[in-house]
Amino acid sequence: MKYVILIGDGMADYPLKELNNKTPLKAAKIPNMDKLAKMGCSGLLKTVPEGMDPGSDVANLSIMGYNPSEYYTGRGPLEAASMGVELSGGDLAFRCNFITKKDDILEDFNAGHITTPESGELIDVLNQNFEKYGKFYHGISYRNLFVFNKKESDTLKTVPPHDIVGQKISENIVKPETDENARLINKIMEDSENILLKTEVNKKRLDNNKKPANMIWLWGQGLKPQIDTFKEKYNLKGATITGVDLIKGIGVYLGLNNIDVPGATGYFDTDYAAKGQYAVDALDDHDLIFIHVEAPDEAGHAGDVAEKIKAIQEIDSKILGPIMKKLEEYEEYVLVLLPDHATPISVKTHTMDAVPYVICSNDIKPDEVEYYDEESAKKGSLGIDKAHNLINKILNGI
C-alpha cells in the first residue's frame, strides 16, 4: 500500500469580488484536483485545535497524525531540528525573521524577501554583537533561528510578524513585560535595529531602492519536544518533500526522510516539476510521502491573487498530475489533497477555518462531489473531522 498526502499551504480562501465571488481554488484551472474530487470522497478538516494559533507548524503536525495539544511546544525547536541545531534541556529556540521597520510600523515581515547570502552576512553580524545571550543560526532568506541559552520560560507571548504587518511594533512586543526574559528579548530586537542599519548589506539594499532588513523579530519560541517517531506510532516508512525548514524540522522529530529537492525554495519560484518528479521517484522506497508546497501561502500573505492562482495551477499540473499517474502502477494506494490552513487574500494571514480535503483510493466508492474547492467540500460524504485523525482514517479505511 502506498500513501501520498499533498499539502498546498494556505490554498483555502474566501470568495473575492475580483474573481466574480469565486475563491482562487474555484477560479483556478485545476483538472487533476477536480478529477480527484470526482474519484474520491470530500469533506472538511479542522487542522488547528481550539485555543491554538493557526500556524503551519500546528496544522502540519496535526495532518501528520499528531495532536498538537499533546505534542506541540513551539515553532522554534522544529526549525532548529531541520537545521541540525541540538537543543539542551533549558534552551529556548526562537524563529528569527529579518523585517523592515518604518518608524514604529512593521512594514514588511520578510524584508523584501532578503536573499539567503545577504541574510547570512547579517546573521554573522548579530552573532558578533549578541554572543552573550545565545546564538543565531542562518537559515534561508528571512527565515532564521535564535537559541536563547539556558533561559527556559513558558510564560512568554510572542506574535508572528506576518500577522501584524502595518501595525505598531511597540504594541506587539514580547509579553509579559514584567518577565525578565521578555524584557531581554525585546531589548535584543530593539538593539538589532542600530546594528543592522550600519551593515554593508543594508547600505546596498537602500542604494538599490530595496527594503532594508533593519530589525529582527523573534517569535514562535519553544523547548525541545518529546515525541514518538512516525514509524513507532504508525509502523510506516515515511518521507517529506518541502522547501520549508519548519516542515523539515517536523520530519526530523518524526524520523521521516527529508528528501532534498534542488530548486525547492519555499516561494513562488520553487521548482514544482522537480518536486513532482522527486515524489514519484521516492514512492518505490517509502510507504507514505508528505508533499508540502509553500507558494500559495506566500501569495496569500502578499495579497496577490494572480500568484495564488498560478501556484495552485502549478501544483495541479506539475505535482498532482504526475503523482496520480504514478499511483496507477500500484494495486493499492491512498491519495489525500488538502491545505494545511486557509490564508485568505483579504486578510493576508492564517485563519481557523476548516479546510477542504479529498481522499481517493483504488477501491473507494466516490461521493457526489465533482469539484475541489471550499464550497463543494462541504457537501462531501466525509463531513467534518479533526486533522490529527487523518492518518488513522486512511490506514483503517474511511
Side-chain angles (χ1 to χ4, degrees), residues 42-44 355-357 369 371 373-381 383:
S42 298
L44 296 173
V355 299
Y357 79 116
V369 175
Y371 302 100
D373 59 67
E374 299 84 353
E375 195 62 31
S376 297
K378 295 177 182 178
K379 306 170 186 175
S381 61

Side-chain angles (χ1 to χ4, degrees), residues 5-9 11 45 47 63 336-341 355-358 372 387 390:
I5 298 179
L6 175 55
I7 304 162
D9 199 306
M11 281 197 304
L45 278 183
T47 58
I63 291 169
V336 182
L337 171 69
L338 76 165
D340 53 351
H341 51 68
V355 299
Y357 79 116
V358 57
Y372 180 69
L390 176 62

Side-chain angles (χ1 to χ4, degrees), residues 59-205:
N60 281 278
L61 187 63
S62 186
I63 291 169
M64 292 179 179
Y66 293 77
N67 187 344
S69 299
E70 299 177 25
Y71 295 102
Y72 180 73
T73 64
R75 182 174 184 133
L78 300 177
E79 303 211 11
S82 76
M83 298 166 70
V85 176
E86 286 289 334
L87 301 178
S88 65
D91 289 347
L92 204 57
F94 287 79
R95 165 71 176 270
C96 173
N97 274 48
F98 285 110
I99 67 167
T100 300
K101 175 186 177 184
K102 187 173 183 180
D103 298 323
D104 187 34
I105 301 299
L106 197 157
E107 184 180 44
D108 194 319
F109 73 92
N110 56 45
H113 274 279
I114 184 171
T115 68
T116 299
E118 287 175 318
S119 63
E121 290 186 39
L122 296 183
I123 287 293
D124 289 341
V125 172
L126 292 172
N127 277 323
Q128 293 167 16
N129 285 272
F130 295 108
E131 183 179 8
K132 64 180 180 181
Y133 301 119
K135 186 173 181 179
F136 290 88
Y137 293 87
H138 186 218
I140 297 174
S141 180
Y142 64 91
R143 309 180 186 103
N144 300 278
L145 185 76
F146 175 60
V147 177
F148 196 34
N149 292 336
K150 311 300 181 185
K151 295 288 184 179
E152 181 175 339
S153 176
D154 59 3
T155 62
L156 301 184
K157 303 295 181 184
T158 60
V159 182
H162 49 262
D163 283 354
I164 57 170
V165 174
Q167 297 184 28
K168 289 185 176 181
I169 286 176
S170 57
E171 294 178 357
N172 289 284
I173 59 176
V174 183
K175 296 179 176 60
E177 294 178 58
T178 54
D179 186 294
E180 178 185 355
N181 289 333
R183 290 198 300 269
L184 189 49
I185 291 296
N186 286 327
K187 177 174 171 50
I188 292 171
M189 292 195 295
E190 181 182 350
D191 290 349
S192 72
E193 183 178 6
N194 288 330
I195 293 167
L196 293 174
L197 275 173
K198 298 174 183 177
T199 62
E200 286 300 314
V201 166
N202 277 314
K203 289 177 183 177
K204 290 179 181 178
R205 289 185 68 83

Side-chain angles (χ1 to χ4, degrees), residues 15 18 28 40 63 76 94 125 174 214 216 256 272 318-319 388:
E18 57 263 52
I63 291 169
F94 287 79
V125 172
V174 183
N214 57 6
I216 59 169
L256 300 171
Y272 296 91
K318 296 180 179 177
I319 299 178
H388 66 258

Side-chain angles (χ1 to χ4, degrees), residues 40-42 334 357-361 364-365 381-382 390 392-398:
C41 295
S42 298
V334 176
Y357 79 116
V358 57
I359 298 177
C360 181
S361 71
I364 199 169
K365 181 180 179 180
S381 61
L382 299 180
L390 176 62
N392 280 326
K393 184 188 290 284
I394 63 176
L395 290 181
N396 298 324
I398 60 174

